[in-house]
Amino acid sequence: AVWMLSDDEESEEESGEEEEEEESDEEFEDVETESTVPEQDGDYDVNFDEEIEAEELRKFREANENEEFPDEIDTPTDIPARIRFQKYRGLKSFRTSPWDAKESLPLDYARISQIQNFNNVRKYLLKSESQKEKCVKKGAYVSIFIADVPLSITESCCSALSVFSLLPHEQKMCVQHVVVQRHTQSDLIVKGKEAILAQVGFRRYVVRPIYSQHTKSSKHKLERFMPTTGSFVASYYAPITLQNCPVILFKQECNGSVTLLSTGSTLSCSPDRIICKRIVLSGHPFKIHKKTATVRYLFHNREDINYFKKIEVRTKFGRRGHIRDALGTHGHCKIGFDGPIQQNDTVIMCLYKRVFPRWEFQYS
């Protein structure tokens, strides 16, 4: 059924709609508001430093890239790879391949001392010190007289002082390793060799540590940034500490404030701990025939291919192989694998270099 409306009914409906629109306009009136800035936000940009902000942004991007593509770098095109990576070497097995701990040591190692068997020497010294009869018993009060104390020290220090005795060799410098774990409320991005305030037992000093994985192998992989999860090892130059002491690492800001980063305990003092930095060069299969593939972008000239020819390569899907021959002069090479590879696979070559902490030690 179709309902037909007359002209009078249509005019009445239109007038009713206009009245409803007028009523709705009267109900909602325009209210003018003024935007006010809180007083505490007026001084927000007073202490803003563009250089520090740019540096934090750069570290944030590097950390994200390292997390997404760990240790991967692009083969340089402006400099030959055999010159750029001349300090690196290939390892058949990172866990079992030999590496001489006394090879190519830096000049800073001439300024430190080494204890041949750290664990045995520590046990012997602690046992001998505990058996001495002249030691002060716990809870006893003693009077200490110190001669020739400068007036500047007495004026600057407070009324109460802490006195500690050192065991033999604890005044000598060495490479100290501490096992720490990131604090749950710390989210700062800390790059290796950045200045860190370390509280080790009763000592407090500023050092520039490097970070590595906490494993039982003879070689340990370097961490470019302070890990956010799990335990890791921080290594730096510091006085020898024989006892197991608690360790707290802080990040000191420009205004003097400190931020808690991680906590842990001392591990050892040994310059023979091998910390290796890994880089990963990647290439892509161009042509595949059974177990042989033509790979490009791994290198960019024929001389680099012949220089790294003896190093084993592998793919991200688990295949292993060796470079057979260089093709042409633009970096294409023929690689033989232990099985067929896929077209979407990636060929990688891992190179390693031993790294050392940066010499900086200052009591705080």
Side-chain angles (χ1 to χ4, degrees):
V2 180
W3 297 90
M4 304 297 294
L5 299 177
S6 61
D7 297 337
D8 297 338
E9 293 177 350
E10 291 179 357
S11 60
E12 291 177 359
E13 290 181 357
E14 291 177 357
S15 60
E17 292 175 357
E18 292 176 357
E19 292 177 356
E20 292 178 357
E21 291 178 358
E22 292 177 357
E23 293 177 356
S24 62
D25 293 339
E26 293 177 356
E27 293 177 357
F28 301 97
E29 297 179 356
D30 296 335
V31 179
E32 296 182 358
T33 58
E34 296 181 359
S35 60
T36 58
V37 180
E39 295 181 358
Q40 62 271 19
D41 292 346
D43 300 335
Y44 183 79
D45 295 333
V46 173
N47 299 325
F48 184 81
D49 194 337
E50 294 184 358
E51 295 182 357
I52 297 178
E53 189 72 14
E55 180 68 18
E56 293 294 333
L57 178 61
R58 184 184 63 82
K59 291 196 298 182
F60 176 76
R61 290 177 177 175
E62 289 182 358
N64 287 344
E65 184 179 358
N66 184 68
E67 184 178 358
E68 186 176 0
F69 306 101
D71 303 326
E72 288 193 19
I73 64 173
D74 296 330
T75 305
T77 57
D78 55 344
I79 181 173
R82 62 186 182 278
I83 297 177
R84 171 63 179 84
F85 306 123
Q86 59 184 347
K87 295 183 179 180
Y88 291 82
R89 68 181 69 178
L91 296 177
K92 185 175 181 61
S93 174
F94 182 76
R95 185 177 61 86
T96 60
S97 296
W99 195 305
D100 187 7
K102 305 298 184 183
E103 177 186 357
S104 301
L105 298 178
L107 295 177
D108 293 334
Y109 267 47
R111 307 164 63 180
I112 63 176
S113 302
Q114 180 184 7
I115 298 177
Q116 188 65 28
N117 196 329
F118 181 79
N119 293 328
N120 291 346
V121 171
R122 176 171 58 183
K123 293 179 182 178
Y124 172 76
L125 291 177
L126 293 177
K127 184 178 180 180
S128 60
E129 289 292 329
S130 62
Q131 293 178 354
K132 285 185 177 180
E133 297 179 357
K134 296 181 180 181
C135 293
V136 179
K137 297 181 180 180
K138 296 181 180 179
Y141 289 90
V142 296
S143 298
I144 301 176
F145 299 92
I146 304 176
D148 301 330
V149 178
L151 294 176
S152 59
I153 296 179
T154 59
E155 294 175 355
S156 61
C157 67
C158 58
S159 59
L161 294 176
S162 300
V163 181
F164 302 91
S165 63
L166 297 179
L167 296 173
H169 312 297
E170 284 195 334
Q171 76 280 5
K172 301 177 182 178
M173 297 291 292
C174 190
V175 182
Q176 189 177 70
H177 311 285
V178 296
V179 180
V180 291
Q181 190 171 7
R182 197 69 177 268
H183 194 263
T184 55
Q185 298 181 356
S186 175
D187 56 353
L188 293 178
I189 299 175
V190 182
K191 195 174 182 180
K193 297 184 180 181
E194 282 191 14
I196 296 296
L197 180 62
Q199 178 74 44
V200 182
F202 59 89
R203 287 169 169 163
R204 176 179 291 186
Y205 36 72
V206 179
V207 292
R208 292 183 177 270
I210 57 176
Y211 310 105
S212 59
Q213 295 179 353
H214 183 36
T215 58
K216 295 183 179 180
S217 176
S218 60
K219 296 177 288 297
H220 312 274
K221 180 179 170 298
L222 175 74
E223 297 288 351
R224 287 179 168 83
F225 295 86
M226 179 182 287
T228 56
T229 58
S231 300
F232 57 94
V233 177
S235 305
Y236 49 84
Y237 294 105
I240 295 176
T241 303
L242 295 176
Q243 294 182 344
N244 291 328
C245 300
V247 178
I248 307 176
L249 301 183
F250 299 93
K251 176 65 175 178
Q252 192 168 12
E253 305 296 341
C254 299
N255 56 3
S257 62
V258 294
T259 305
L260 177 61
L261 293 177
S262 54
T263 58
S265 60
T266 56
L267 177 63
S268 64
C269 292
S270 173
D272 289 342
R273 180 183 173 91
I274 300 176
I275 302 175
C276 297
K277 178 182 179 181
R278 185 185 72 168
I279 62 172
V280 178
L281 306 180
S282 60
H284 301 277
F286 182 54
K287 296 178 182 179
I288 299 176
H289 179 68
K290 296 183 179 180
K291 297 183 180 181
T292 306
T294 302
V295 180
R296 57 181 177 179
Y297 305 143
L298 187 62
F299 300 103
H300 299 293
N301 56 71
R302 190 182 188 92
E303 291 76 11
D304 289 343
I305 296 175
N306 294 330
Y307 183 84
F308 294 98
K309 190 174 182 179
K310 296 182 179 180
I311 300 178
E312 185 183 36
V313 298
R314 60 184 180 88
T315 67
K316 291 190 175 182
F317 287 168
R319 296 297 183 184
R320 296 180 178 270
H322 289 84
I323 299 176
R324 293 183 178 178
D325 196 9
L327 304 176
T329 59
H330 294 83
H332 292 194
C333 57
K334 183 182 293 184
I335 301 179
F337 295 94
D338 56 356
I341 67 172
Q342 302 180 13
Q343 190 69 40
N344 61 344
D345 205 347
T346 303
V347 180
I348 60 176
M349 176 182 289
C350 298
L351 303 176
Y352 301 90
K353 179 186 72 170
R354 186 179 179 183
V355 293
F356 303 91
R358 182 179 298 178
W359 182 275
E360 180 170 341
F361 177 82
Q362 181 182 0
Y363 279 107
S364 177

